[in-house]
Amino acid sequence: MLVINRLRRTIFMDLLVAAKDQLAMEYLRPLHDLYIPWSESAIRPSGMVKILNEILIYKRRCIVECGGGVSTIFIAKMLKMKGGHLYTIENDKEWSIILKQQIDELGLTEYVTLINAPLAKSDLSIGDLLWYDQEIIRNQIDNLDIDFLIVDGPLAYLKEIQYSRYPAVPFFRSYFAKDYSIALDDINRFGEREIIKKWKTLTGIQFDRFFIDGGIAIGRTNKTFTT
């Protein structure tokens, strides 16, 4: 009976997650006018809605995204309507080319700076894990006041690389505006949950965790609303 109840709960949770994402796709429809490749590693639709809500409600205008994809397109479209600029960091050169083509075709070029930064050794990493080439990033984001950092890269799906995304906050910390938000995807995984704890200690900000509603965590200095 215990096994059956667990199975029922699992099925219920899967159905609930699917329903959340289906509803989110309806919310995102006005920003859709071209097919966008939505891979398994992309931010879930309900997580994308959370991020767009954050941009709209808190007026985020200088955004850095670690890991480019479908989120890049949606964020750039929002910034085209509201103003602002997105800096997307991607280590995969071939994917960067595909993403750049999508950005150009949609007329979003002036709203996105795509930074191709291969993975390299970093003194900010936990252990000897690789992170984006810091010098390349510095050359592209000098003097920015970042008010939203979105972390969905680099890849961290295996146990041996589960802390790959940790350096993002230590690196960008000196670039943060006085009022800012941080989002981390894939918090269903142990590594990301541990990273959130470390970032909380580092920044002093609280993170809301949305396990069903997007699988992301969002923290901000100004907690006026919950998005």
Side-chain angles (χ1 to χ4, degrees):
M1 181 62 70
L2 182 60
V3 173
I4 293 174
N5 286 338
R6 285 178 179 174
L7 180 60
R8 286 173 176 168
R9 283 197 296 270
T10 299
I11 293 172
F12 174 76
M13 292 299 291
D14 287 345
L15 290 173
L16 184 57
V17 166
K20 292 278 187 179
D21 283 341
Q22 184 62 41
L23 181 61
M25 288 302 294
E26 292 301 314
Y27 293 150
L28 295 170
R29 193 176 299 280
L31 297 176
H32 252 286
D33 55 11
L34 182 71
Y35 175 75
I36 302 172
W38 209 307
S39 66
E40 288 185 4
S41 60
I43 293 175
R44 282 175 41 207
S46 50
M48 195 69 252
V49 168
K50 292 288 185 185
I51 286 172
L52 295 179
N53 286 350
E54 193 75 17
I55 294 170
L56 184 64
I57 293 171
Y58 289 93
K59 297 180 173 62
R60 302 312 186 194
R61 299 294 179 261
C62 184
I63 302 170
V64 169
E65 173 190 40
C66 295
V70 63
S71 56
T72 308
I73 304 301
F74 282 117
I75 294 168
K77 286 189 173 187
M78 177 67 76
L79 295 180
K80 183 177 181 179
M81 293 188 294
K82 299 298 180 180
H85 198 85
L86 172 65
Y87 297 82
T88 296
I89 302 164
E90 176 56 52
N91 62 282
D92 189 314
K93 188 173 182 179
E94 291 186 4
W95 180 240
S96 296
I97 293 171
I98 294 171
L99 190 55
K100 181 65 166 61
Q101 290 172 343
Q102 290 274 315
I103 291 167
D104 292 344
E105 287 176 14
L106 290 167
L108 300 171
T109 307
E110 66 179 285
Y111 305 98
V112 183
T113 296
L114 190 56
I115 304 170
N116 181 231
L119 299 183
K121 290 184 178 180
S122 170
D123 57 356
L124 300 174
S125 293
I126 295 175
D128 58 356
L129 296 176
L130 303 180
W131 196 65
Y132 304 105
D133 190 307
Q134 294 172 196
E135 192 60 31
I136 291 176
I137 297 173
R138 285 194 190 96
N139 290 337
Q140 294 283 336
I141 66 166
D142 191 33
N143 296 322
L144 288 187
D145 287 321
I146 299 167
D147 56 21
F148 196 6
L149 173 64
I150 302 164
V151 183
D152 190 28
L155 295 176
Y157 60 92
L158 298 175
K159 185 176 181 180
E160 54 267 31
I161 57 172
Q162 63 183 333
Y163 300 123
S164 294
R165 298 175 178 180
Y166 171 74
V169 168
F171 178 80
F172 289 111
R173 190 181 178 193
S174 62
Y175 295 93
F176 285 150
K178 186 177 180 180
D179 176 31
Y180 65 89
S181 300
I182 302 170
L184 177 64
D185 193 26
D186 300 310
I187 62 165
N188 57 303
R189 302 188 303 214
F190 176 81
E192 274 75 9
R193 292 197 297 273
E194 291 299 300
I195 288 172
I196 285 295
K197 293 178 185 177
K198 295 179 184 297
W199 286 355
K200 178 183 175 183
T201 300
L202 192 62
T203 63
I205 64 176
Q206 298 287 334
F207 285 83
D208 294 319
R209 295 164 173 81
F210 304 99
F211 291 101
I212 296 174
D213 236 354
I216 66 171
I218 298 178
R220 67 186 70 83
T221 52
N222 172 21
K223 192 167 181 174
T224 307
F225 306 99
T226 297
T227 58

